[in-house]
Amino acid sequence: MTQVLVLGSGIAGCSTALAAAESGAEVVLATKATRPAETTTHWAQGGIAVSRGDPDAFAADVLEAGDGRCDPHAVETLVENADDAVESVLVERLGVPFADDYGREAAHSADRIRHVGAETGRHVLAPFLAHLDDHPRVTVHEDTAALELLTEEGRVRGALLDRPDGSKAAELADATVLATGGVGACFPRSTNPDTATGDGLAMAARAGADLEDLAYVQFHPTATVGDDPVLVSEAVRGAGAVLRNADGERFMPAVHEDAELAPRDVVARAVADERERTGGVVLDTTPVDFAGAFPALRERISDAGHDPASIPVAPAEHFLCGGVAVDDRGRTSLDRLYAVGEVSRTGVHGANRLASTSLLEGLVWGRRAGRDAAARERVTGDPEIPSRPERDPALPDGFVDGKLERLHRVLGAHVGLRRDPDGLERACAALRRLKGETDAYARTRPSREVAELRNAATAGLLLARAAREAEPAGCHALEGVPCR
């Protein structure tokens, strides 16, 4: 039994583990990932926002982007802790080689983005994981998936884990922290890795935790076209790149006064509209020293077969603004369960996340959750461990791929960038059936791929139900209802 169990190894999970260990706790960090590239943090391009000594201006931008749905206390917590968290952890402790200049991204009123070219995430995560590997109070289990939370009378006591060899083990803990990331793998096109199957969201829901703001799924406006999209960082538009339709016309100045740097939901819908109207949209990078400022990104785009000077783009699922409801220390509605990072709903993002606040939110809430979890009193006694099938019968050919394809088709058609009430009703009906089918298989098969499929189907249904009930705002747009 450990004191703090962290599920997930992105910046939120790493930040939690470090803070808990530095507070004197023994920490176990379990992650599905076997390499940094399997975490969403690794793919974060633009950077991490800081207040630069002006938290009020930073807060105003977060609140404006959130379209009236942010929690002001959560926003204050974010901006007041931003500079210290980045400086003390990322700069002083990990030595992240941030550029001397500060970038600007969509809906920011000032240059406040600390970045390493357009590949900030990998420069943050690799040294973070290496630091934890060397920490005497942190044990890291890679290629280890959480299958279910272990509960006892409304209290979370740890999680049932799937080990690399396929064996199952109960990891008991005084405090359990979900840092499992988002839901991108539930959608047909996403900037997230394939591991983002909504695991933490689904496990928390089954355990009875409160969830909020699941209707607000953010789509990034500039991901390359095709089935394997490359995210083209907002920093490129911040440096001067512009969007043009298939007729060569720059269209964003007529849509919003901030043009290409309008809030993400505004830009994403405009890109989708112009693609439908004219047949395509490209990001024109000729006003930018693309090779000099973003060499790694330019190489990835070229390797993907696109012209780096005129990049064909389309929106792709990017970030879940809601999640498991938490307070300013990451505490959920269930005793001894915490959630940090994209799986959580802190109230910071409201209906639309401001660019480059996701890494910051994970860092700030991870520190606060880790310290709080480390201070919890020890728990005695063992909870009841749910029984699992000892055999894993073979699945029908193409079972998992077929179900995922159905999930992608339903979410892409009805719970995507634009939605309508009738489509959301159809989505809920289809996803209820899909969830029922995956639940039935999960009861008789203990494999990780079935657990992930079940979680993805559960997460998809939760998103559709929330969208059906929510008032339109930010990135939850309904056909026929005016958007900002």
Side-chain angles (χ1 to χ4, degrees):
M1 180 170 178
T2 189
Q3 289 175 267
V4 179
L5 171 63
V6 179
L7 304 175
S9 60
I11 190 172
C14 289
S15 177
T16 303
L18 179 61
E22 290 186 335
S23 299
E26 295 296 322
V27 179
V28 169
L29 187 151
T31 175
K32 289 199 300 186
T34 57
R35 54 194 177 95
E38 293 176 337
T39 67
T40 306
T41 295
H42 175 85
W43 292 106
Q45 290 185 6
I48 185 166
V50 292
S51 72
R52 298 192 69 182
D54 191 353
D56 291 342
F58 188 8
D61 290 347
V62 175
L63 292 167
E64 174 66 21
D67 201 13
R69 297 300 196 276
C70 300
D71 177 344
H73 174 67
V75 174
E76 181 182 4
T77 298
L78 182 82
V79 301
E80 292 290 347
N81 288 277
D83 291 4
D84 176 66
V86 171
E87 188 66 25
S88 62
V89 178
L90 302 188
V91 177
E92 296 177 2
R93 180 65 56 84
L94 303 181
V96 176
F98 289 118
D100 292 334
D101 67 308
Y102 290 80
R104 180 179 296 198
E105 297 185 5
H108 284 272
S109 61
D111 299 345
R112 62 165 71 95
I113 314 299
R114 303 217 66 177
H115 64 97
V116 186
E119 50 185 5
T120 305
R122 66 183 61 194
H123 286 280
V124 167
L125 192 58
F128 222 148
L129 289 169
H131 186 77
L132 292 178
D133 279 337
D134 293 336
H135 200 291
R137 284 192 291 274
V138 179
T139 300
V140 178
H141 296 309
E142 294 183 342
D143 192 18
T144 300
L147 301 176
E148 209 68 76
L149 295 174
L150 301 176
T151 60
E152 181 183 47
E153 298 179 350
R155 170 181 289 179
V156 174
R157 297 291 310 280
L160 184 66
L161 303 182
D162 179 82
R163 303 293 192 186
D165 62 0
S167 63
K168 310 300 183 284
E171 186 71 55
L172 301 181
D174 298 321
T176 302
V177 186
L178 296 172
T180 51
V183 296
C186 303
F187 285 82
R189 274 174 47 87
S190 175
T191 62
N192 293 184
D194 291 340
T195 52
T197 48
D199 299 330
L201 194 68
M203 289 189 295
R206 288 195 292 269
D210 291 342
L211 312 174
E212 291 185 42
D213 289 350
L214 299 186
Y216 305 121
V217 181
Q218 186 178 78
F219 287 76
H220 200 287
T222 54
T224 58
V225 298
D227 294 333
D228 191 17
V230 177
L231 174 65
V232 186
S233 171
E234 227 151 53
V236 181
R237 280 178 280 138
V242 297
L243 290 161
R244 300 188 184 279
N245 62 24
D247 299 326
E249 300 167 338
R250 185 183 177 197
F251 55 89
M252 279 308 303
V255 175
H256 193 280
E257 62 182 1
D258 292 331
E260 280 79 8
L261 295 183
R264 279 181 176 168
D265 62 307
V266 175
V267 182
R269 285 192 290 269
V271 169
D273 289 346
E274 289 300 311
R275 281 175 52 80
E276 183 176 342
R277 188 177 73 85
T278 70
V281 169
V282 298
L283 184 65
D284 177 4
T285 66
T286 56
V288 181
D289 178 14
F290 200 20
F294 309 102
L297 176 57
R298 186 186 187 282
E299 183 178 355
R300 279 201 301 278
I301 290 168
S302 181
D303 289 346
H306 302 296
D307 178 2
S310 184
I311 307 166
V313 295
E317 191 281 339
H318 185 57
F319 190 87
L320 177 61
C321 297
V324 184
V326 299
D327 66 8
D328 62 6
R329 289 174 175 79
R331 296 175 293 199
T332 74
S333 61
L334 297 181
D335 187 26
R336 296 177 181 271
L337 179 67
Y338 295 74
V340 293
E342 191 172 353
V343 70
S344 71
R345 184 273 184 189
T346 62
V348 162
H349 305 305
N352 184 52
R353 179 174 69 83
L354 180 67
S356 287
T357 55
S358 58
L359 294 182
L360 180 62
E361 180 193 42
L363 179 65
V364 169
W365 258 262
R367 295 178 86 196
R368 296 170 71 84
R371 291 165 179 166
D372 196 84
R376 302 301 293 263
E377 69 276 9
R378 304 304 305 264
V379 180
T380 58
D382 295 334
E384 181 179 351
I385 308 301
S387 61
R388 307 286 291 189
E390 295 183 2
R391 299 178 56 248
D392 192 4
L395 290 166
D397 290 343
F399 176 83
V400 173
D401 289 343
K403 300 298 184 188
L404 280 175
E405 184 179 344
R406 277 176 58 191
L407 177 64
H408 289 168
R409 187 166 60 248
V410 172
L411 288 181
H414 301 303
V415 198
L417 184 61
R418 288 194 181 277
R419 307 159 177 181
D420 66 77
D422 289 342
L424 290 171
E425 285 291 348
R426 290 195 294 272
C428 287
L431 293 170
R432 277 196 302 271
R433 291 191 294 271
L434 180 60
K435 179 181 178 297
E437 294 166 10
T438 59
D439 283 347
Y441 273 85
R443 282 192 289 270
T444 60
R445 290 165 172 81
S447 70
R448 185 184 305 190
E449 68 173 345
V450 172
E452 289 180 335
L453 174 63
R454 180 194 188 197
N455 289 336
T458 299
L461 179 57
L462 290 169
L463 298 179
R465 284 176 171 170
R468 182 183 60 184
E469 303 299 328
E471 292 293 325
C475 52
H476 171 48
L478 289 179
E479 294 289 349
V481 179
C483 298
R484 62 177 176 175

